[in-house]
Amino acid sequence: MNMKSARAVIAGLVVAMATPAMSATYLFNFTAPGYTGSGHFHTLDSAPSTVVGIDGLLNGNMITGLSSFASANQTLLAGAPYFTINGISFTAGGVSYNLYDYGGPGITNSVDNPGGGYAALTPLTTISVTEVTAGVPEAATWAMMIFGFGLVGASARRRLRVVAA
């Protein structure tokens, strides 16, 4: 086996052994007295899971990321109420907010509830959280498929060598 073939085999093995990244995106919409929010929760896998990113709008202000308000554990549950008592915390318009479940899903903010805790909950009137399914294969899947086609092509091209007696 020449050096070029050895490199190709090693590269193929590295790609084949790569673990595909699991991730999930959830579309959310909610309303509460004084609040309207919508956007996406980004998790590492299907719910229940830890939210690792968020984007969207709250009352017309862009949600700029997760925050650590009120000891949030950033856990998204698979079904209603969708949040734990510690909740999912994020920042919008320079203010931290927390979506959490305390006798029902609700929202609080650091202006109304600067010390955290659960006293200033505004109950959510409506809430929906739906997983967004992706239709495009991940990069590792494409790489393994292309490598497989390359191996089939290389084996079809390879000639049998005749050993002189």
Short mmCIF file of all heavy atoms in Angstrom, two decimals, residues 125-153:
data_model
loop_
_atom_site.label_atom_id
_atom_site.label_comp_id
_atom_site.label_asym_id
_atom_site.label_seq_id
_atom_site.Cartn_x
_atom_site.Cartn_y
_atom_site.Cartn_z
N THR A 125 -50.45 32.84 29.79
CA THR A 125 -51.81 32.64 29.30
C THR A 125 -51.82 31.52 28.27
O THR A 125 -52.69 30.65 28.29
CB THR A 125 -52.35 33.94 28.67
OG1 THR A 125 -52.14 35.00 29.59
CG2 THR A 125 -53.81 33.82 28.34
N THR A 126 -50.86 31.55 27.35
CA THR A 126 -50.71 30.51 26.33
C THR A 126 -49.24 30.15 26.23
O THR A 126 -48.36 30.99 26.46
CB THR A 126 -51.20 30.96 24.94
OG1 THR A 126 -50.38 32.05 24.49
CG2 THR A 126 -52.66 31.37 24.96
N ILE A 127 -48.99 28.91 25.86
CA ILE A 127 -47.63 28.46 25.61
C ILE A 127 -47.66 27.29 24.64
O ILE A 127 -48.53 26.42 24.73
CB ILE A 127 -46.88 28.07 26.89
CG1 ILE A 127 -45.44 27.66 26.54
CG2 ILE A 127 -47.60 26.99 27.65
CD1 ILE A 127 -44.52 27.53 27.70
N SER A 128 -46.73 27.30 23.70
CA SER A 128 -46.54 26.15 22.81
C SER A 128 -45.05 25.97 22.58
O SER A 128 -44.32 26.95 22.42
CB SER A 128 -47.28 26.32 21.48
OG SER A 128 -46.69 27.33 20.72
N VAL A 129 -44.62 24.72 22.61
CA VAL A 129 -43.23 24.38 22.34
C VAL A 129 -43.27 23.18 21.40
O VAL A 129 -43.85 22.15 21.72
CB VAL A 129 -42.45 24.02 23.63
CG1 VAL A 129 -41.03 23.59 23.28
CG2 VAL A 129 -42.43 25.20 24.59
N THR A 130 -42.68 23.33 20.20
CA THR A 130 -42.72 22.30 19.17
C THR A 130 -41.32 22.04 18.66
O THR A 130 -40.59 22.98 18.32
CB THR A 130 -43.60 22.75 17.99
OG1 THR A 130 -44.86 23.19 18.49
CG2 THR A 130 -43.79 21.65 16.99
N GLU A 131 -40.93 20.75 18.58
CA GLU A 131 -39.62 20.42 18.05
C GLU A 131 -39.60 20.64 16.54
O GLU A 131 -40.52 20.26 15.84
CB GLU A 131 -39.24 18.97 18.36
CG GLU A 131 -37.83 18.64 17.95
CD GLU A 131 -37.36 17.27 18.42
OE1 GLU A 131 -38.15 16.53 19.02
OE2 GLU A 131 -36.18 16.96 18.18
N VAL A 132 -38.54 21.28 16.07
CA VAL A 132 -38.35 21.52 14.65
C VAL A 132 -37.47 20.39 14.12
O VAL A 132 -36.37 20.18 14.62
CB VAL A 132 -37.66 22.88 14.40
CG1 VAL A 132 -37.42 23.12 12.92
CG2 VAL A 132 -38.47 24.01 15.01
N THR A 133 -37.98 19.66 13.14
CA THR A 133 -37.20 18.55 12.59
C THR A 133 -36.40 19.03 11.39
O THR A 133 -36.90 19.74 10.54
CB THR A 133 -38.11 17.38 12.18
OG1 THR A 133 -39.09 17.86 11.26
CG2 THR A 133 -38.79 16.77 13.37
N ALA A 134 -35.15 18.61 11.36
CA ALA A 134 -34.26 19.00 10.27
C ALA A 134 -34.28 17.94 9.18
O ALA A 134 -34.31 16.76 9.45
CB ALA A 134 -32.84 19.18 10.79
N GLY A 135 -34.25 18.37 7.93
CA GLY A 135 -34.28 17.44 6.82
C GLY A 135 -32.94 17.26 6.13
O GLY A 135 -32.84 16.55 5.16
N VAL A 136 -31.91 17.90 6.63
CA VAL A 136 -30.60 17.85 6.00
C VAL A 136 -29.67 16.97 6.84
O VAL A 136 -29.56 17.17 8.04
CB VAL A 136 -30.00 19.27 5.87
CG1 VAL A 136 -28.62 19.22 5.26
CG2 VAL A 136 -30.93 20.15 5.07
N PRO A 137 -29.02 15.98 6.22
CA PRO A 137 -28.09 15.14 6.99
C PRO A 137 -26.93 15.96 7.55
O PRO A 137 -26.53 16.97 6.98
CB PRO A 137 -27.57 14.13 5.95
CG PRO A 137 -28.51 14.19 4.82
CD PRO A 137 -29.12 15.56 4.83
N GLU A 138 -26.37 15.47 8.64
CA GLU A 138 -25.24 16.15 9.25
C GLU A 138 -23.98 15.95 8.42
O GLU A 138 -23.90 15.04 7.59
CB GLU A 138 -25.02 15.61 10.66
CG GLU A 138 -26.18 15.93 11.58
CD GLU A 138 -25.91 15.47 12.99
OE1 GLU A 138 -24.74 15.29 13.35
OE2 GLU A 138 -26.89 15.32 13.71
N ALA A 139 -23.00 16.78 8.66
CA ALA A 139 -21.75 16.73 7.90
C ALA A 139 -21.06 15.37 8.02
O ALA A 139 -20.50 14.86 7.03
CB ALA A 139 -20.81 17.84 8.36
N ALA A 140 -21.09 14.75 9.20
CA ALA A 140 -20.44 13.44 9.37
C ALA A 140 -21.12 12.38 8.50
O ALA A 140 -20.46 11.50 7.96
CB ALA A 140 -20.49 13.02 10.84
N THR A 141 -22.44 12.47 8.34
CA THR A 141 -23.16 11.53 7.49
C THR A 141 -22.72 11.70 6.04
O THR A 141 -22.46 10.71 5.34
CB THR A 141 -24.68 11.76 7.61
OG1 THR A 141 -25.04 11.64 8.99
CG2 THR A 141 -25.46 10.77 6.78
N TRP A 142 -22.64 12.92 5.57
CA TRP A 142 -22.18 13.18 4.20
C TRP A 142 -20.76 12.67 4.01
O TRP A 142 -20.43 12.05 2.99
CB TRP A 142 -22.23 14.68 3.89
CG TRP A 142 -23.60 15.16 3.54
CD1 TRP A 142 -24.42 15.89 4.33
CD2 TRP A 142 -24.31 14.94 2.32
NE1 TRP A 142 -25.60 16.13 3.69
CE2 TRP A 142 -25.56 15.56 2.44
CE3 TRP A 142 -24.02 14.26 1.14
CZ2 TRP A 142 -26.51 15.54 1.44
CZ3 TRP A 142 -24.98 14.25 0.13
CH2 TRP A 142 -26.19 14.88 0.28
N ALA A 143 -19.88 12.93 4.97
CA ALA A 143 -18.48 12.52 4.84
C ALA A 143 -18.36 11.00 4.76
O ALA A 143 -17.61 10.46 3.94
CB ALA A 143 -17.66 13.05 6.02
N MET A 144 -19.11 10.28 5.61
CA MET A 144 -19.05 8.82 5.56
C MET A 144 -19.59 8.28 4.24
O MET A 144 -19.06 7.32 3.68
CB MET A 144 -19.84 8.22 6.74
CG MET A 144 -19.11 8.34 8.06
SD MET A 144 -19.86 7.42 9.41
CE MET A 144 -21.41 8.24 9.61
N MET A 145 -20.64 8.91 3.71
CA MET A 145 -21.20 8.46 2.44
C MET A 145 -20.20 8.68 1.30
O MET A 145 -19.98 7.78 0.48
CB MET A 145 -22.51 9.21 2.15
CG MET A 145 -23.20 8.75 0.88
SD MET A 145 -24.73 9.63 0.57
CE MET A 145 -24.12 11.25 0.19
N ILE A 146 -19.59 9.83 1.25
CA ILE A 146 -18.62 10.14 0.20
C ILE A 146 -17.41 9.21 0.30
O ILE A 146 -16.90 8.70 -0.70
CB ILE A 146 -18.21 11.63 0.26
CG1 ILE A 146 -19.40 12.49 -0.16
CG2 ILE A 146 -16.99 11.91 -0.60
CD1 ILE A 146 -19.24 13.96 0.12
N PHE A 147 -16.94 8.96 1.55
CA PHE A 147 -15.83 8.04 1.75
C PHE A 147 -16.19 6.64 1.26
O PHE A 147 -15.39 5.97 0.61
CB PHE A 147 -15.43 8.00 3.23
CG PHE A 147 -14.31 7.04 3.50
CD1 PHE A 147 -13.02 7.31 3.06
CD2 PHE A 147 -14.55 5.86 4.18
CE1 PHE A 147 -11.98 6.42 3.31
CE2 PHE A 147 -13.52 4.97 4.43
CZ PHE A 147 -12.23 5.25 3.99
N GLY A 148 -17.42 6.20 1.54
CA GLY A 148 -17.87 4.88 1.07
C GLY A 148 -17.89 4.79 -0.43
O GLY A 148 -17.45 3.78 -1.01
N PHE A 149 -18.39 5.83 -1.10
CA PHE A 149 -18.37 5.83 -2.57
C PHE A 149 -16.94 5.79 -3.08
O PHE A 149 -16.64 5.13 -4.08
CB PHE A 149 -19.09 7.06 -3.13
CG PHE A 149 -20.57 6.99 -3.06
CD1 PHE A 149 -21.31 8.09 -2.66
CD2 PHE A 149 -21.26 5.83 -3.38
CE1 PHE A 149 -22.69 8.04 -2.59
CE2 PHE A 149 -22.64 5.76 -3.31
CZ PHE A 149 -23.36 6.86 -2.91
N GLY A 150 -16.04 6.50 -2.40
CA GLY A 150 -14.63 6.49 -2.80
C GLY A 150 -14.01 5.10 -2.68
O GLY A 150 -13.26 4.66 -3.55
N LEU A 151 -14.33 4.39 -1.59
CA LEU A 151 -13.81 3.03 -1.42
C LEU A 151 -14.35 2.09 -2.49
O LEU A 151 -13.61 1.27 -3.04
CB LEU A 151 -14.16 2.49 -0.04
CG LEU A 151 -13.33 3.00 1.12
CD1 LEU A 151 -13.83 2.40 2.43
CD2 LEU A 151 -11.86 2.65 0.92
N VAL A 152 -15.63 2.20 -2.80
CA VAL A 152 -16.22 1.36 -3.85
C VAL A 152 -15.54 1.66 -5.18
O VAL A 152 -15.17 0.75 -5.93
CB VAL A 152 -17.74 1.56 -3.94
CG1 VAL A 152 -18.33 0.90 -5.17
CG2 VAL A 152 -18.42 1.03 -2.68
N GLY A 153 -15.35 2.94 -5.48
CA GLY A 153 -14.69 3.32 -6.73
C GLY A 153 -13.25 2.84 -6.79
O GLY A 153 -12.79 2.34 -7.82
#
